[in-house]
Amino acid sequence: MDSFRLWLHGHGNGEAVFPLSLQEISLSKLDFSIVIERWADLLHGVLFTLALSATGIFFALVIGVVGVAMRRSGSRLVQVPVIMFVELIRNTPFLVQIFFLFFALPLIGIRLGPTVTAIIALAINGGAYSIEIIRGGVDSIPRGQVEAGAALGMSRRQIFSDIILIPALRSIYPALTSQFILLTLTSSVCSSISASELTHFAQRIESETFRSFEVYFTITGLYLLISWLIMAALSALGNRHFSYPNQ
Amino acid sequence: MKAANMPSEKQLSVSDNEVLIELKNINKWYGGFHALKDVDLTVRKGERIVLCGPSGSGKSTLIRCINHLEEIKDGSIRVAGKEIDKAAKSIEAVRREVGMVFQSFNLFPHLKVIDNCTLALRRVKGIERPEAEEIARKYLDRVHILEQADKHPAQLSGGQQQRVAIARALCMEPKVMLFDEPTSALDPEMVKEVLDTMIGLAEDGMTMICVTHEMGFARQVGHRVLFMADGEILEETTPSEFFKNPQHERAKAFLGEILAHH
């Protein structure tokens, strides 16, 4: 019971350990000028997060497509590494993955900067989930499509890339889009290795000014904006490539 | 022209031609189900064969073995002098000689009609796009659907889609065309346009194997009718003989069923 109370309330003898009680946050005391003063840092953070997410999404998509192609190959030797990769990534926390890349790899001589580490971590994490999503799309393609390609003399690889891939991506595009939005939001975890994305700047501004509410209120809005931008970009991409009429 | 004389005239015209397809002792199993039992089939250049029989008799399976969409347990398959073995290369080589039209069209939904036709030309034969499009236009024109070249399959009717599928197969300039119930999925009013296209092909001398229940078509263009049941070819004769004088009980029952509906 004691340990339960400790878990629930922390070490404060049963009292919650919030720094401020709710009454202390009143509109008259809010001061957003500090946020406005640091607009350049925040803009830098937004642009960096956008670039980080877009790069991560691009490579996640590449990993997803290549992974599914490997998964469909006839050889167990090619399939098994993909299955293991997906299992490993989907069943471990992202924070641990990024720490592993950033802190553990240097011990075996691979030293990566925070930005590169962040991109790799987002790409492999998003890629593992993409493999499973895209695989579902590929499975939904009627067998007749594959047979039509085969009957024309096309190879397995050509059938995958020219016949199956686009309809498969189209069928799971909404799920893939929400996975990529999740990737965008997960990029905030990269602040833990000081990649200079939006949350990193927010933490810095907050620690210098102690204006927690104003700072986090602002970046909440900014993340909403970033998500909308990414979603708009993905939907434009989808309209461009997947807008053919269907039966 | 006397209809009764047609089959023998047709038969005479191809009996000396080279052998295009030679199936020997084909056996195919689906688990414990013996789908094809020691089937032999020889098809000569220019010959038009109609395969019919009750559903589950193995007729679709048989033509799907010819281009290795179905793997056989034993037996040998030679198409245009090329033997199919386990190697992907030999399978792809045979498939280049064989065009196939499916019951459900199987057009690629994300590609325009013209691109459906040029895809294999570009990928398999390595022909550049302008030349591939020229070939595609020629065959789309031949099935009278050139004006739809820039549409997507979903914008066409079933009959139009099936004609595009025929054009797509013809683009590869195959030596033989396989038709797997090409009109079964069509609304009745669209059956004729597809059959007319196939009759046109027949008149141009295309070697064809058609799985179909269109007995009028069989009578008009077939050199031979093969009647299958339970994975065996029970009867093999000219269309007029088959309709006039079926030998096997199963064939009589089958014709009774089919003709009752026509």
Side-chain angles (χ1 to χ4, degrees):
Chain A
M1 202 58 210
D2 275 353
S3 62
F4 176 71
R5 194 175 297 134
L6 196 63
W7 171 75
L8 195 61
H9 299 292
H11 291 272
N13 290 328
E15 281 181 31
V17 283
F18 295 119
L20 301 170
S21 74
L22 277 175
Q23 287 93 332
E24 283 180 77
I25 302 174
S26 69
L27 282 177
S28 59
K29 286 185 185 167
L30 290 180
D31 179 9
F32 278 92
S33 66
I34 204 73
V35 173
I36 295 160
E37 262 171 44
R38 303 291 291 266
W39 69 271
D41 280 348
L42 290 172
L43 180 66
H44 182 266
V46 167
L47 293 177
F48 193 92
T49 291
L50 275 171
L52 184 62
S53 304
T55 318
I57 288 170
F58 173 78
F59 286 112
L61 187 59
V62 171
I63 291 174
V65 170
V66 173
V68 171
M70 289 169 69
R71 193 80 164 67
R72 286 174 55 82
S73 98
S75 154
R76 290 299 283 172
L77 219 65
V78 181
Q79 291 173 356
V80 170
V82 179
I83 296 169
M84 283 166 59
F85 167 74
V86 170
E87 283 301 303
L88 176 71
I89 299 301
R90 296 212 312 167
N91 294 300
T92 51
F94 179 71
L95 188 61
V96 173
Q97 291 163 11
I98 199 168
F99 279 166
F100 181 85
L101 289 175
F102 196 64
F103 297 116
L105 286 188
L107 300 180
I108 56 165
I110 303 171
R111 202 172 297 275
L112 304 167
T115 305
V116 175
T117 306
I119 290 171
I120 294 175
L122 288 170
I124 64 170
N125 187 272
Y129 285 94
S130 302
I131 288 175
E132 287 303 280
I133 294 172
I134 296 170
R135 199 158 72 90
V138 167
D139 288 344
S140 76
I141 301 302
R143 224 182 113 68
Q145 293 287 306
V146 177
E147 291 181 348
L152 288 165
M154 295 174 74
S155 67
R156 281 174 73 104
R157 185 182 298 189
Q158 289 170 334
I159 290 171
F160 179 75
S161 64
D162 294 332
I163 296 174
I164 295 177
L165 188 58
I166 295 292
L169 287 177
R170 170 177 156 135
S171 73
I172 46 81
Y173 200 62
L176 202 59
T177 301
S178 65
Q179 188 62 45
F180 288 158
I181 295 297
L182 200 61
L183 181 151
T184 303
L185 301 180
T186 306
S187 72
S188 70
V189 178
C190 301
S191 61
S192 60
I193 55 162
S194 353
S196 51
E197 46 71 68
L198 183 56
T199 305
H200 173 75
F201 277 107
Q203 285 169 340
R204 202 151 83 187
I205 298 168
E206 192 250 359
S207 69
E208 287 164 15
T209 63
F210 305 104
R211 287 287 170 183
S212 312
F213 184 88
E214 291 87 337
V215 170
Y216 287 115
F217 184 85
T218 306
I219 73 156
T220 299
L222 291 175
Y223 269 112
L224 205 55
L225 179 75
I226 289 170
S227 290
W228 281 336
L229 285 173
I230 296 277
M231 210 166 346
L234 287 172
S235 122
L237 202 68
N239 284 337
R240 202 187 138 123
H241 291 284
F242 307 130
S243 65
Y244 58 87
N246 217 353
Q247 306 280 10
Chain B
M1 202 169 9
K2 281 182 285 178
N5 287 339
M6 274 190 61
S8 56
E9 281 172 13
K10 280 188 291 187
Q11 194 63 52
L12 274 176
S13 64
V14 293
S15 56
D16 293 332
N17 285 355
E18 59 179 298
V19 171
L20 262 190
I21 297 177
E22 197 169 22
L23 307 184
K24 276 190 184 153
N25 301 323
I26 303 295
N27 277 289
K28 163 83 188 167
W29 294 78
Y30 290 111
F33 178 66
H34 201 172
L36 294 175
K37 301 170 183 163
D38 275 327
V39 174
D40 291 319
L41 176 64
T42 304
V43 182
R44 290 177 185 277
K45 189 170 187 298
E47 222 180 346
R48 299 184 290 272
I49 291 177
V50 172
L51 256 177
C52 62
S55 104
S57 58
K59 50 197 192 306
S60 284
T61 308
L62 179 60
I63 66 165
R64 288 162 57 86
C65 286
I66 295 172
N67 62 353
H68 204 267
L69 288 184
E70 302 286 347
E71 210 167 325
I72 55 171
K73 182 163 175 294
D74 51 48
S76 72
I77 298 173
R78 285 180 77 85
V79 179
K82 292 167 185 159
E83 176 132 18
I84 292 190
D85 54 43
K86 291 267 180 271
K89 284 273 170 265
S90 82
I91 295 166
E92 283 163 23
V94 162
R95 283 171 177 167
R96 277 196 288 274
E97 309 291 352
V98 179
M100 189 167 211
V101 175
F102 300 86
Q103 181 176 353
S104 49
F105 328 137
N106 294 347
L107 294 180
F108 309 131
H110 58 301
L111 299 179
K112 288 177 184 171
V113 163
I114 184 96
D115 297 327
N116 260 276
C117 294
T118 58
L119 180 65
L121 284 173
R122 292 184 286 125
R123 294 291 187 269
V124 178
K125 290 195 168 175
I127 295 173
E128 295 294 322
R129 190 185 278 273
E131 197 190 331
E133 289 190 352
E134 208 171 298
I135 297 169
R137 284 208 188 84
K138 179 173 119 191
Y139 286 106
L140 286 171
D141 193 29
R142 184 160 164 192
V143 302
H144 307 297
I145 201 152
L146 183 55
E147 72 282 2
Q148 312 284 5
D150 288 322
K151 289 193 178 164
H152 280 84
Q155 293 166 304
L156 306 182
S157 73
Q160 291 173 320
Q161 289 193 48
Q162 195 60 300
R163 283 188 284 143
V164 172
I166 293 172
R168 179 177 69 179
L170 290 177
C171 282
M172 297 299 283
E173 296 176 339
K175 294 204 167 78
V176 53
M177 286 282 285
L178 308 176
F179 292 87
D180 189 359
E181 305 206 27
T183 56
S184 304
L186 294 174
D187 291 336
E189 74 270 22
M190 294 169 186
V191 170
K192 188 176 179 299
E193 64 182 78
V194 171
L195 288 180
D196 285 346
T197 306
M198 292 167 65
I199 290 167
L201 273 183
E203 283 166 355
D204 290 347
M206 175 61 82
T207 312
M208 298 161 73
I209 304 179
C210 311
V211 173
T212 182
H213 292 160
E214 296 294 337
M215 293 301 134
F217 172 80
R219 211 187 283 267
Q220 189 176 348
V221 309
H223 292 111
R224 267 193 287 161
V225 171
L226 306 188
F227 175 76
M228 286 187 78
D230 298 331
E232 290 175 292
I233 297 175
L234 294 184
E235 210 151 318
E236 181 171 351
T237 179
T238 61
S240 61
E241 265 303 297
F242 181 67
F243 292 118
K244 221 182 335 176
N245 202 6
Q247 301 296 312
H248 208 280
E249 283 308 315
R250 298 287 304 264
K252 287 177 192 166
F254 174 75
L255 278 175
E257 294 263 318
I258 290 277
L259 298 176
H261 292 110
H262 280 260

